[in-house]
Structures are given as C-alpha cells and as structure tokens.
PDB file of all heavy atoms in Angstrom:
ATOM      1  N   GLY W   1     101.486-111.221  29.351  1.00  0.00           N
ATOM      2  CA  GLY W   1     100.287-110.744  28.599  1.00  0.00           C
ATOM      3  C   GLY W   1      99.721-109.486  29.176  1.00  0.00           C
ATOM      4  O   GLY W   1     100.143-109.013  30.246  1.00  0.00           O
ATOM      5  N   VAL W   2      98.774-108.879  28.465  1.00  0.00           N
ATOM      6  CA  VAL W   2      98.085-107.652  28.868  1.00  0.00           C
ATOM      7  C   VAL W   2      96.634-107.842  28.541  1.00  0.00           C
ATOM      8  O   VAL W   2      96.246-108.434  27.559  1.00  0.00           O
ATOM      9  CB  VAL W   2      98.660-106.402  28.111  1.00  0.00           C
ATOM     10  CG1 VAL W   2      97.886-105.186  28.493  1.00  0.00           C
ATOM     11  CG2 VAL W   2     100.140-106.256  28.417  1.00  0.00           C
ATOM     12  N   ILE W   3      95.779-107.284  29.401  1.00  0.00           N
ATOM     13  CA  ILE W   3      94.295-107.223  29.148  1.00  0.00           C
ATOM     14  C   ILE W   3      93.919-105.836  28.760  1.00  0.00           C
ATOM     15  O   ILE W   3      94.258-104.933  29.475  1.00  0.00           O
ATOM     16  CB  ILE W   3      93.545-107.664  30.396  1.00  0.00           C
ATOM     17  CG1 ILE W   3      93.940-109.102  30.841  1.00  0.00           C
ATOM     18  CG2 ILE W   3      91.996-107.605  30.083  1.00  0.00           C
ATOM     19  CD1 ILE W   3      93.401-109.437  32.211  1.00  0.00           C
ATOM     20  N   VAL W   4      93.271-105.671  27.653  1.00  0.00           N
ATOM     21  CA  VAL W   4      92.756-104.347  27.223  1.00  0.00           C
ATOM     22  C   VAL W   4      91.257-104.530  27.156  1.00  0.00           C
ATOM     23  O   VAL W   4      90.666-105.180  26.358  1.00  0.00           O
ATOM     24  CB  VAL W   4      93.270-103.922  25.832  1.00  0.00           C
ATOM     25  CG1 VAL W   4      92.612-102.698  25.335  1.00  0.00           C
ATOM     26  CG2 VAL W   4      94.777-103.842  25.811  1.00  0.00           C
ATOM     27  N   ALA W   5      90.572-103.862  28.082  1.00  0.00           N
ATOM     28  CA  ALA W   5      89.123-103.944  28.274  1.00  0.00           C
ATOM     29  C   ALA W   5      88.460-102.712  27.614  1.00  0.00           C
ATOM     30  O   ALA W   5      88.579-101.585  28.140  1.00  0.00           O
ATOM     31  CB  ALA W   5      88.745-104.042  29.755  1.00  0.00           C
ATOM     32  N   GLY W   6      87.833-102.924  26.472  1.00  0.00           N
ATOM     33  CA  GLY W   6      87.104-101.870  25.809  1.00  0.00           C
ATOM     34  C   GLY W   6      85.708-101.663  26.348  1.00  0.00           C
ATOM     35  O   GLY W   6      85.283-102.278  27.330  1.00  0.00           O
ATOM     36  N   PRO W   7      84.964-100.762  25.714  1.00  0.00           N
ATOM     37  CA  PRO W   7      83.562-100.478  26.177  1.00  0.00           C
ATOM     38  C   PRO W   7      82.726-101.755  26.231  1.00  0.00           C
ATOM     39  O   PRO W   7      82.690-102.558  25.320  1.00  0.00           O
ATOM     40  CB  PRO W   7      83.038 -99.522  25.151  1.00  0.00           C
ATOM     41  CG  PRO W   7      84.265 -98.859  24.539  1.00  0.00           C
ATOM     42  CD  PRO W   7      85.335 -99.916  24.537  1.00  0.00           C
ATOM     43  N   TRP W   8      81.980-101.908  27.367  1.00  0.00           N
ATOM     44  CA  TRP W   8      81.157-103.087  27.572  1.00  0.00           C
ATOM     45  C   TRP W   8      79.858-102.907  26.737  1.00  0.00           C
ATOM     46  O   TRP W   8      79.143-101.849  26.820  1.00  0.00           O
ATOM     47  CB  TRP W   8      80.779-103.166  29.065  1.00  0.00           C
ATOM     48  CG  TRP W   8      79.542-104.016  29.319  1.00  0.00           C
ATOM     49  CD1 TRP W   8      78.288-103.585  29.663  1.00  0.00           C
ATOM     50  CD2 TRP W   8      79.488-105.402  29.349  1.00  0.00           C
ATOM     51  NE1 TRP W   8      77.439-104.620  29.858  1.00  0.00           N
ATOM     52  CE2 TRP W   8      78.150-105.778  29.666  1.00  0.00           C
ATOM     53  CE3 TRP W   8      80.402-106.445  29.112  1.00  0.00           C
ATOM     54  CZ2 TRP W   8      77.745-107.110  29.754  1.00  0.00           C
ATOM     55  CZ3 TRP W   8      80.029-107.743  29.243  1.00  0.00           C
ATOM     56  CH2 TRP W   8      78.671-108.033  29.538  1.00  0.00           C
ATOM     57  N   ARG W   9      79.551-103.828  25.916  1.00  0.00           N
ATOM     58  CA  ARG W   9      78.387-103.816  25.047  1.00  0.00           C
ATOM     59  C   ARG W   9      77.507-105.079  25.146  1.00  0.00           C
ATOM     60  O   ARG W   9      76.790-105.401  24.182  1.00  0.00           O
ATOM     61  CB  ARG W   9      78.800-103.496  23.605  1.00  0.00           C
ATOM     62  CG  ARG W   9      79.345-102.041  23.422  1.00  0.00           C
ATOM     63  CD  ARG W   9      79.652-101.703  22.007  1.00  0.00           C
ATOM     64  NE  ARG W   9      80.183-100.359  21.951  1.00  0.00           N
ATOM     65  CZ  ARG W   9      80.885 -99.862  20.925  1.00  0.00           C
ATOM     66  NH1 ARG W   9      81.054-100.619  19.837  1.00  0.00           N
ATOM     67  NH2 ARG W   9      81.372 -98.666  20.939  1.00  0.00           N
ATOM     68  N   GLY W  10      77.534-105.705  26.270  1.00  0.00           N
ATOM     69  CA  GLY W  10      76.630-106.827  26.499  1.00  0.00           C
ATOM     70  C   GLY W  10      75.366-106.316  27.103  1.00  0.00           C
ATOM     71  O   GLY W  10      75.167-105.130  27.376  1.00  0.00           O
ATOM     72  N   LEU W  11      74.440-107.249  27.378  1.00  0.00           N
ATOM     73  CA  LEU W  11      73.233-106.995  28.128  1.00  0.00           C
ATOM     74  C   LEU W  11      73.550-106.817  29.623  1.00  0.00           C
ATOM     75  O   LEU W  11      74.456-107.570  30.090  1.00  0.00           O
ATOM     76  CB  LEU W  11      72.177-108.006  27.880  1.00  0.00           C
ATOM     77  CG  LEU W  11      71.642-108.167  26.483  1.00  0.00           C
ATOM     78  CD1 LEU W  11      70.598-109.280  26.445  1.00  0.00           C
ATOM     79  CD2 LEU W  11      71.013-106.851  26.013  1.00  0.00           C
ATOM     80  N   SER W  12      72.848-105.957  30.318  1.00  0.00           N
ATOM     81  CA  SER W  12      73.172-105.778  31.732  1.00  0.00           C
ATOM     82  C   SER W  12      72.950-107.072  32.554  1.00  0.00           C
ATOM     83  O   SER W  12      73.624-107.308  33.558  1.00  0.00           O
ATOM     84  CB  SER W  12      72.294-104.659  32.308  1.00  0.00           C
ATOM     85  OG  SER W  12      70.921-105.029  32.218  1.00  0.00           O
ATOM     86  N   SER W  13      72.085-107.980  32.019  1.00  0.00           N
ATOM     87  CA  SER W  13      71.888-109.240  32.726  1.00  0.00           C
ATOM     88  C   SER W  13      73.042-110.160  32.708  1.00  0.00           C
ATOM     89  O   SER W  13      73.203-111.101  33.468  1.00  0.00           O
ATOM     90  CB  SER W  13      70.598-109.911  32.186  1.00  0.00           C
ATOM     91  OG  SER W  13      70.802-110.128  30.781  1.00  0.00           O
ATOM     92  N   THR W  14      73.973-109.919  31.733  1.00  0.00           N
ATOM     93  CA  THR W  14      75.154-110.757  31.623  1.00  0.00           C
ATOM     94  C   THR W  14      76.407-110.110  32.201  1.00  0.00           C
ATOM     95  O   THR W  14      77.513-110.631  32.065  1.00  0.00           O
ATOM     96  CB  THR W  14      75.382-111.099  30.146  1.00  0.00           C
ATOM     97  OG1 THR W  14      75.729-109.864  29.404  1.00  0.00           O
ATOM     98  CG2 THR W  14      74.217-111.741  29.512  1.00  0.00           C
ATOM     99  N   LEU W  15      76.252-108.963  32.771  1.00  0.00           N
ATOM    100  CA  LEU W  15      77.410-108.206  33.304  1.00  0.00           C
ATOM    101  C   LEU W  15      78.180-108.914  34.442  1.00  0.00           C
ATOM    102  O   LEU W  15      79.371-108.956  34.492  1.00  0.00           O
ATOM    103  CB  LEU W  15      77.004-106.803  33.688  1.00  0.00           C
ATOM    104  CG  LEU W  15      78.162-105.904  34.259  1.00  0.00           C
ATOM    105  CD1 LEU W  15      79.273-105.812  33.261  1.00  0.00           C
ATOM    106  CD2 LEU W  15      77.603-104.506  34.617  1.00  0.00           C
ATOM    107  N   GLU W  16      77.406-109.440  35.399  1.00  0.00           N
ATOM    108  CA  GLU W  16      77.983-110.081  36.579  1.00  0.00           C
ATOM    109  C   GLU W  16      78.907-111.257  36.192  1.00  0.00           C
ATOM    110  O   GLU W  16      80.058-111.317  36.691  1.00  0.00           O
ATOM    111  CB  GLU W  16      76.916-110.526  37.518  1.00  0.00           C
ATOM    112  CG  GLU W  16      77.499-110.981  38.880  1.00  0.00           C
ATOM    113  CD  GLU W  16      76.387-111.206  39.890  1.00  0.00           C
ATOM    114  OE1 GLU W  16      75.290-110.666  39.744  1.00  0.00           O
ATOM    115  OE2 GLU W  16      76.629-112.051  40.825  1.00  0.00           O
ATOM    116  N   PRO W  17      78.430-112.160  35.335  1.00  0.00           N
ATOM    117  CA  PRO W  17      79.411-113.276  34.935  1.00  0.00           C
ATOM    118  C   PRO W  17      80.592-112.781  34.136  1.00  0.00           C
ATOM    119  O   PRO W  17      81.695-113.316  34.266  1.00  0.00           O
ATOM    120  CB  PRO W  17      78.523-114.219  34.163  1.00  0.00           C
ATOM    121  CG  PRO W  17      77.261-113.455  33.810  1.00  0.00           C
ATOM    122  CD  PRO W  17      77.093-112.476  34.884  1.00  0.00           C
ATOM    123  N   TYR W  18      80.402-111.707  33.370  1.00  0.00           N
ATOM    124  CA  TYR W  18      81.517-111.139  32.622  1.00  0.00           C
ATOM    125  C   TYR W  18      82.574-110.653  33.627  1.00  0.00           C
ATOM    126  O   TYR W  18      83.746-110.882  33.488  1.00  0.00           O
ATOM    127  CB  TYR W  18      80.998-110.006  31.767  1.00  0.00           C
ATOM    128  CG  TYR W  18      82.115-109.085  31.193  1.00  0.00           C
ATOM    129  CD1 TYR W  18      82.799-109.416  30.087  1.00  0.00           C
ATOM    130  CD2 TYR W  18      82.421-107.905  31.902  1.00  0.00           C
ATOM    131  CE1 TYR W  18      83.794-108.496  29.599  1.00  0.00           C
ATOM    132  CE2 TYR W  18      83.398-107.029  31.450  1.00  0.00           C
ATOM    133  CZ  TYR W  18      84.083-107.331  30.308  1.00  0.00           C
ATOM    134  OH  TYR W  18      85.055-106.500  29.855  1.00  0.00           O
ATOM    135  N   GLN W  19      82.104-109.914  34.620  1.00  0.00           N
ATOM    136  CA  GLN W  19      83.015-109.350  35.613  1.00  0.00           C
ATOM    137  C   GLN W  19      83.727-110.426  36.441  1.00  0.00           C
ATOM    138  O   GLN W  19      84.936-110.348  36.718  1.00  0.00           O
ATOM    139  CB  GLN W  19      82.306-108.317  36.588  1.00  0.00           C
ATOM    140  CG  GLN W  19      81.773-107.102  35.874  1.00  0.00           C
ATOM    141  CD  GLN W  19      80.982-106.199  36.786  1.00  0.00           C
ATOM    142  OE1 GLN W  19      80.286-106.718  37.667  1.00  0.00           O
ATOM    143  NE2 GLN W  19      81.024-104.905  36.564  1.00  0.00           N
ATOM    144  N   ALA W  20      82.990-111.452  36.753  1.00  0.00           N
ATOM    145  CA  ALA W  20      83.570-112.600  37.518  1.00  0.00           C
ATOM    146  C   ALA W  20      84.695-113.245  36.689  1.00  0.00           C
ATOM    147  O   ALA W  20      85.746-113.634  37.204  1.00  0.00           O
ATOM    148  CB  ALA W  20      82.517-113.571  37.877  1.00  0.00           C
ATOM    149  N   ALA W  21      84.435-113.396  35.381  1.00  0.00           N
ATOM    150  CA  ALA W  21      85.431-114.024  34.533  1.00  0.00           C
ATOM    151  C   ALA W  21      86.660-113.163  34.364  1.00  0.00           C
ATOM    152  O   ALA W  21      87.820-113.649  34.317  1.00  0.00           O
ATOM    153  CB  ALA W  21      84.836-114.303  33.154  1.00  0.00           C
ATOM    154  N   LEU W  22      86.463-111.864  34.287  1.00  0.00           N
ATOM    155  CA  LEU W  22      87.574-110.904  34.165  1.00  0.00           C
ATOM    156  C   LEU W  22      88.453-110.951  35.405  1.00  0.00           C
ATOM    157  O   LEU W  22      89.665-111.045  35.311  1.00  0.00           O
ATOM    158  CB  LEU W  22      87.046-109.481  33.967  1.00  0.00           C
ATOM    159  CG  LEU W  22      88.092-108.361  33.889  1.00  0.00           C
ATOM    160  CD1 LEU W  22      89.102-108.674  32.762  1.00  0.00           C
ATOM    161  CD2 LEU W  22      87.384-107.001  33.589  1.00  0.00           C
ATOM    162  N   ILE W  23      87.839-111.028  36.576  1.00  0.00           N
ATOM    163  CA  ILE W  23      88.605-111.108  37.849  1.00  0.00           C
ATOM    164  C   ILE W  23      89.357-112.425  37.859  1.00  0.00           C
ATOM    165  O   ILE W  23      90.570-112.453  38.209  1.00  0.00           O
ATOM    166  CB  ILE W  23      87.651-110.969  39.044  1.00  0.00           C
ATOM    167  CG1 ILE W  23      87.151-109.477  39.145  1.00  0.00           C
ATOM    168  CG2 ILE W  23      88.368-111.332  40.317  1.00  0.00           C
ATOM    169  CD1 ILE W  23      86.086-109.327  40.223  1.00  0.00           C
ATOM    170  N   ALA W  24      88.664-113.449  37.472  1.00  0.00           N
ATOM    171  CA  ALA W  24      89.297-114.826  37.535  1.00  0.00           C
ATOM    172  C   ALA W  24      90.537-114.945  36.661  1.00  0.00           C
ATOM    173  O   ALA W  24      91.562-115.469  36.981  1.00  0.00           O
ATOM    174  CB  ALA W  24      88.275-115.891  37.160  1.00  0.00           C
ATOM    175  N   TRP W  25      90.399-114.344  35.343  1.00  0.00           N
ATOM    176  CA  TRP W  25      91.549-114.475  34.445  1.00  0.00           C
ATOM    177  C   TRP W  25      92.704-113.610  34.951  1.00  0.00           C
ATOM    178  O   TRP W  25      93.843-114.035  34.878  1.00  0.00           O
ATOM    179  CB  TRP W  25      91.131-114.090  33.027  1.00  0.00           C
ATOM    180  CG  TRP W  25      92.286-114.084  32.110  1.00  0.00           C
ATOM    181  CD1 TRP W  25      92.997-113.089  31.672  1.00  0.00           C
ATOM    182  CD2 TRP W  25      92.839-115.269  31.512  1.00  0.00           C
ATOM    183  NE1 TRP W  25      94.014-113.534  30.855  1.00  0.00           N
ATOM    184  CE2 TRP W  25      93.987-114.833  30.691  1.00  0.00           C
ATOM    185  CE3 TRP W  25      92.527-116.646  31.541  1.00  0.00           C
ATOM    186  CZ2 TRP W  25      94.757-115.732  29.987  1.00  0.00           C
ATOM    187  CZ3 TRP W  25      93.332-117.522  30.821  1.00  0.00           C
ATOM    188  CH2 TRP W  25      94.394-117.066  30.044  1.00  0.00           C
ATOM    189  N   GLN W  26      92.403-112.411  35.457  1.00  0.00           N
ATOM    190  CA  GLN W  26      93.467-111.540  35.921  1.00  0.00           C
ATOM    191  C   GLN W  26      94.232-112.205  37.109  1.00  0.00           C
ATOM    192  O   GLN W  26      95.428-112.133  37.215  1.00  0.00           O
ATOM    193  CB  GLN W  26      92.920-110.188  36.284  1.00  0.00           C
ATOM    194  CG  GLN W  26      93.986-109.093  36.419  1.00  0.00           C
ATOM    195  CD  GLN W  26      94.815-109.205  37.625  1.00  0.00           C
ATOM    196  OE1 GLN W  26      94.346-109.605  38.702  1.00  0.00           O
ATOM    197  NE2 GLN W  26      96.100-108.886  37.516  1.00  0.00           N
ATOM    198  N   GLN W  27      93.442-112.766  38.021  1.00  0.00           N
ATOM    199  CA  GLN W  27      94.052-113.416  39.183  1.00  0.00           C
ATOM    200  C   GLN W  27      94.924-114.617  38.748  1.00  0.00           C
ATOM    201  O   GLN W  27      95.973-114.835  39.311  1.00  0.00           O
ATOM    202  CB  GLN W  27      92.981-113.867  40.156  1.00  0.00           C
ATOM    203  CG  GLN W  27      92.243-112.715  40.914  1.00  0.00           C
ATOM    204  CD  GLN W  27      91.204-113.213  41.804  1.00  0.00           C
ATOM    205  OE1 GLN W  27      90.682-114.346  41.701  1.00  0.00           O
ATOM    206  NE2 GLN W  27      90.787-112.362  42.773  1.00  0.00           N
ATOM    207  N   ARG W  28      94.404-115.344  37.759  1.00  0.00           N
ATOM    208  CA  ARG W  28      95.197-116.544  37.356  1.00  0.00           C
ATOM    209  C   ARG W  28      96.407-116.094  36.576  1.00  0.00           C
ATOM    210  O   ARG W  28      97.518-116.769  36.678  1.00  0.00           O
ATOM    211  CB  ARG W  28      94.269-117.383  36.444  1.00  0.00           C
ATOM    212  CG  ARG W  28      94.922-118.549  35.756  1.00  0.00           C
ATOM    213  CD  ARG W  28      95.436-119.608  36.803  1.00  0.00           C
ATOM    214  NE  ARG W  28      96.080-120.678  36.144  1.00  0.00           N
ATOM    215  CZ  ARG W  28      97.319-120.692  35.676  1.00  0.00           C
ATOM    216  NH1 ARG W  28      98.126-119.587  35.722  1.00  0.00           N
ATOM    217  NH2 ARG W  28      97.815-121.804  35.087  1.00  0.00           N
ATOM    218  N   SER W  29      96.327-115.053  35.730  1.00  0.00           N
ATOM    219  CA  SER W  29      97.455-114.657  34.882  1.00  0.00           C
ATOM    220  C   SER W  29      98.390-113.618  35.502  1.00  0.00           C
ATOM    221  O   SER W  29      99.608-113.585  35.277  1.00  0.00           O
ATOM    222  CB  SER W  29      96.952-114.102  33.585  1.00  0.00           C
ATOM    223  OG  SER W  29      96.277-112.879  33.778  1.00  0.00           O
ATOM    224  N   GLY W  30      97.875-112.760  36.318  1.00  0.00           N
ATOM    225  CA  GLY W  30      98.612-111.632  36.874  1.00  0.00           C
ATOM    226  C   GLY W  30      98.875-110.525  35.847  1.00  0.00           C
ATOM    227  O   GLY W  30      99.683-109.663  36.099  1.00  0.00           O
ATOM    228  N   TRP W  31      98.183-110.574  34.723  1.00  0.00           N
ATOM    229  CA  TRP W  31      98.384-109.577  33.690  1.00  0.00           C
ATOM    230  C   TRP W  31      97.877-108.189  34.103  1.00  0.00           C
ATOM    231  O   TRP W  31      96.843-108.073  34.738  1.00  0.00           O
ATOM    232  CB  TRP W  31      97.673-110.003  32.423  1.00  0.00           C
ATOM    233  CG  TRP W  31      98.279-111.190  31.744  1.00  0.00           C
ATOM    234  CD1 TRP W  31      99.371-111.962  32.181  1.00  0.00           C
ATOM    235  CD2 TRP W  31      97.786-111.852  30.595  1.00  0.00           C
ATOM    236  NE1 TRP W  31      99.574-113.038  31.367  1.00  0.00           N
ATOM    237  CE2 TRP W  31      98.624-113.005  30.344  1.00  0.00           C
ATOM    238  CE3 TRP W  31      96.712-111.584  29.733  1.00  0.00           C
ATOM    239  CZ2 TRP W  31      98.428-113.808  29.308  1.00  0.00           C
ATOM    240  CZ3 TRP W  31      96.531-112.446  28.619  1.00  0.00           C
ATOM    241  CH2 TRP W  31      97.362-113.577  28.397  1.00  0.00           C
ATOM    242  N   PRO W  32      98.582-107.100  33.674  1.00  0.00           N
ATOM    243  CA  PRO W  32      98.104-105.804  33.839  1.00  0.00           C
ATOM    244  C   PRO W  32      96.770-105.534  33.002  1.00  0.00           C
ATOM    245  O   PRO W  32      96.620-106.190  31.933  1.00  0.00           O
ATOM    246  CB  PRO W  32      99.178-104.876  33.524  1.00  0.00           C
ATOM    247  CG  PRO W  32     100.056-105.712  32.621  1.00  0.00           C
ATOM    248  CD  PRO W  32      99.943-107.117  33.026  1.00  0.00           C
ATOM    249  N   VAL W  33      95.890-104.630  33.493  1.00  0.00           N
ATOM    250  CA  VAL W  33      94.700-104.343  32.799  1.00  0.00           C
ATOM    251  C   VAL W  33      94.645-102.864  32.387  1.00  0.00           C
ATOM    252  O   VAL W  33      94.801-101.986  33.264  1.00  0.00           O
ATOM    253  CB  VAL W  33      93.456-104.645  33.724  1.00  0.00           C
ATOM    254  CG1 VAL W  33      92.137-104.364  32.935  1.00  0.00           C
ATOM    255  CG2 VAL W  33      93.501-106.061  34.257  1.00  0.00           C
ATOM    256  N   LEU W  34      94.423-102.636  31.120  1.00  0.00           N
ATOM    257  CA  LEU W  34      94.210-101.279  30.590  1.00  0.00           C
ATOM    258  C   LEU W  34      92.728-101.235  30.308  1.00  0.00           C
ATOM    259  O   LEU W  34      92.215-101.782  29.378  1.00  0.00           O
ATOM    260  CB  LEU W  34      94.999-100.998  29.313  1.00  0.00           C
ATOM    261  CG  LEU W  34      96.533-101.353  29.341  1.00  0.00           C
ATOM    262  CD1 LEU W  34      97.182-100.968  28.047  1.00  0.00           C
ATOM    263  CD2 LEU W  34      97.226-100.637  30.529  1.00  0.00           C
ATOM    264  N   ALA W  35      91.949-100.505  31.136  1.00  0.00           N
ATOM    265  CA  ALA W  35      90.492-100.544  31.068  1.00  0.00           C
ATOM    266  C   ALA W  35      89.973 -99.198  30.566  1.00  0.00           C
ATOM    267  O   ALA W  35      90.288 -98.171  31.185  1.00  0.00           O
ATOM    268  CB  ALA W  35      89.944-100.896  32.403  1.00  0.00           C
ATOM    269  N   ASP W  36      89.107 -99.236  29.578  1.00  0.00           N
ATOM    270  CA  ASP W  36      88.337 -98.075  29.158  1.00  0.00           C
ATOM    271  C   ASP W  36      87.317 -97.729  30.292  1.00  0.00           C
ATOM    272  O   ASP W  36      86.833 -98.618  31.011  1.00  0.00           O
ATOM    273  CB  ASP W  36      87.590 -98.457  27.884  1.00  0.00           C
ATOM    274  CG  ASP W  36      86.850 -97.257  27.284  1.00  0.00           C
ATOM    275  OD1 ASP W  36      85.809 -96.875  27.813  1.00  0.00           O
ATOM    276  OD2 ASP W  36      87.302 -96.741  26.239  1.00  0.00           O
ATOM    277  N   PRO W  37      87.029 -96.473  30.466  1.00  0.00           N
ATOM    278  CA  PRO W  37      86.080 -96.110  31.532  1.00  0.00           C
ATOM    279  C   PRO W  37      84.686 -96.747  31.320  1.00  0.00           C
ATOM    280  O   PRO W  37      83.884 -96.863  32.252  1.00  0.00           O
ATOM    281  CB  PRO W  37      85.976 -94.572  31.501  1.00  0.00           C
ATOM    282  CG  PRO W  37      86.539 -94.179  30.167  1.00  0.00           C
ATOM    283  CD  PRO W  37      87.512 -95.212  29.847  1.00  0.00           C
ATOM    284  N   LEU W  38      84.355 -97.118  30.069  1.00  0.00           N
ATOM    285  CA  LEU W  38      83.125 -97.708  29.743  1.00  0.00           C
ATOM    286  C   LEU W  38      83.143 -99.269  29.867  1.00  0.00           C
ATOM    287  O   LEU W  38      82.140 -99.929  29.484  1.00  0.00           O
ATOM    288  CB  LEU W  38      82.644 -97.330  28.329  1.00  0.00           C
ATOM    289  CG  LEU W  38      82.709 -95.833  28.038  1.00  0.00           C
ATOM    290  CD1 LEU W  38      82.287 -95.554  26.597  1.00  0.00           C
ATOM    291  CD2 LEU W  38      81.967 -94.993  29.013  1.00  0.00           C
ATOM    292  N   ALA W  39      84.184 -99.845  30.352  1.00  0.00           N
ATOM    293  CA  ALA W  39      84.428-101.246  30.344  1.00  0.00           C
ATOM    294  C   ALA W  39      83.648-101.941  31.454  1.00  0.00           C
ATOM    295  O   ALA W  39      83.680-103.185  31.539  1.00  0.00           O
ATOM    296  CB  ALA W  39      85.912-101.610  30.495  1.00  0.00           C
ATOM    297  N   ALA W  40      82.977-101.199  32.334  1.00  0.00           N
ATOM    298  CA  ALA W  40      82.215-101.801  33.452  1.00  0.00           C
ATOM    299  C   ALA W  40      83.146-102.670  34.339  1.00  0.00           C
ATOM    300  O   ALA W  40      82.774-103.745  34.770  1.00  0.00           O
ATOM    301  CB  ALA W  40      80.994-102.618  33.003  1.00  0.00           C
ATOM    302  N   SER W  41      84.380-102.139  34.573  1.00  0.00           N
ATOM    303  CA  SER W  41      85.315-102.892  35.361  1.00  0.00           C
ATOM    304  C   SER W  41      84.795-103.119  36.785  1.00  0.00           C
ATOM    305  O   SER W  41      84.303-102.109  37.405  1.00  0.00           O
ATOM    306  CB  SER W  41      86.675-102.192  35.447  1.00  0.00           C
ATOM    307  OG  SER W  41      87.168-102.011  34.088  1.00  0.00           O
ATOM    308  N   PRO W  42      84.931-104.298  37.330  1.00  0.00           N
ATOM    309  CA  PRO W  42      84.387-104.494  38.726  1.00  0.00           C
ATOM    310  C   PRO W  42      85.312-103.906  39.782  1.00  0.00           C
ATOM    311  O   PRO W  42      86.542-103.858  39.583  1.00  0.00           O
ATOM    312  CB  PRO W  42      84.329-106.044  38.830  1.00  0.00           C
ATOM    313  CG  PRO W  42      85.429-106.470  37.873  1.00  0.00           C
ATOM    314  CD  PRO W  42      85.427-105.517  36.712  1.00  0.00           C
ATOM    315  N   ASN W  43      84.682-103.475  40.847  1.00  0.00           N
ATOM    316  CA  ASN W  43      85.451-103.043  42.018  1.00  0.00           C
ATOM    317  C   ASN W  43      86.209-104.222  42.589  1.00  0.00           C
ATOM    318  O   ASN W  43      85.657-105.289  42.742  1.00  0.00           O
ATOM    319  CB  ASN W  43      84.497-102.430  43.042  1.00  0.00           C
ATOM    320  CG  ASN W  43      85.283-101.682  44.119  1.00  0.00           C
ATOM    321  OD1 ASN W  43      86.448-101.371  43.984  1.00  0.00           O
ATOM    322  ND2 ASN W  43      84.589-101.441  45.244  1.00  0.00           N
ATOM    323  N   GLY W  44      87.462-103.989  42.822  1.00  0.00           N
ATOM    324  CA  GLY W  44      88.253-105.132  43.302  1.00  0.00           C
ATOM    325  C   GLY W  44      89.086-105.837  42.285  1.00  0.00           C
ATOM    326  O   GLY W  44      89.839-106.770  42.590  1.00  0.00           O
ATOM    327  N   LEU W  45      88.970-105.392  41.028  1.00  0.00           N
ATOM    328  CA  LEU W  45      89.809-105.964  39.997  1.00  0.00           C
ATOM    329  C   LEU W  45      91.303-105.531  40.191  1.00  0.00           C
ATOM    330  O   LEU W  45      91.598-104.346  40.289  1.00  0.00           O
ATOM    331  CB  LEU W  45      89.329-105.511  38.580  1.00  0.00           C
ATOM    332  CG  LEU W  45      90.139-105.921  37.403  1.00  0.00           C
ATOM    333  CD1 LEU W  45      90.085-107.474  37.218  1.00  0.00           C
ATOM    334  CD2 LEU W  45      89.679-105.208  36.124  1.00  0.00           C
TER     335      LEU W  45
END
C-alpha cells in the first residue's frame, strides 16, 4: 500500500492524535508516504 497525505484541515487541537495515528499506521504497514507540504507531517515519520 501507499499513504497519500493531503493538506491537513482539522483543528489544531486534534493534530497531535492525528500525527500519532499516522506514525502508528506507517510503522505497522511499512508503506511509503507521499506527503503534501501542508499535511502537517510529524518529525520522525
């Protein structure tokens, strides 16, 4: 599979759990990530 992360449009208060879930799914799957610069990708992804 592949992860395509588009622009982040959630509330800033929900960003941290979003980033944690993104890291968790990538670690579990090993899928490559194509991230938009506006995707708020976490450092360490």
Side-chain angles (χ1 to χ4, degrees):
V2 177
I3 302 169
V4 177
W8 161 257
R9 289 182 183 165
L11 294 180
S12 62
S13 58
T14 66
L15 179 57
E16 187 173 336
Y18 165 86
Q19 292 178 329
L22 178 55
I23 290 175
W25 178 261
Q26 197 287 325
Q27 289 178 339
R28 175 64 180 80
S29 67
W31 292 359
V33 182
L34 311 183
D36 187 283
L38 312 180
S41 301
N43 191 16
L45 176 65

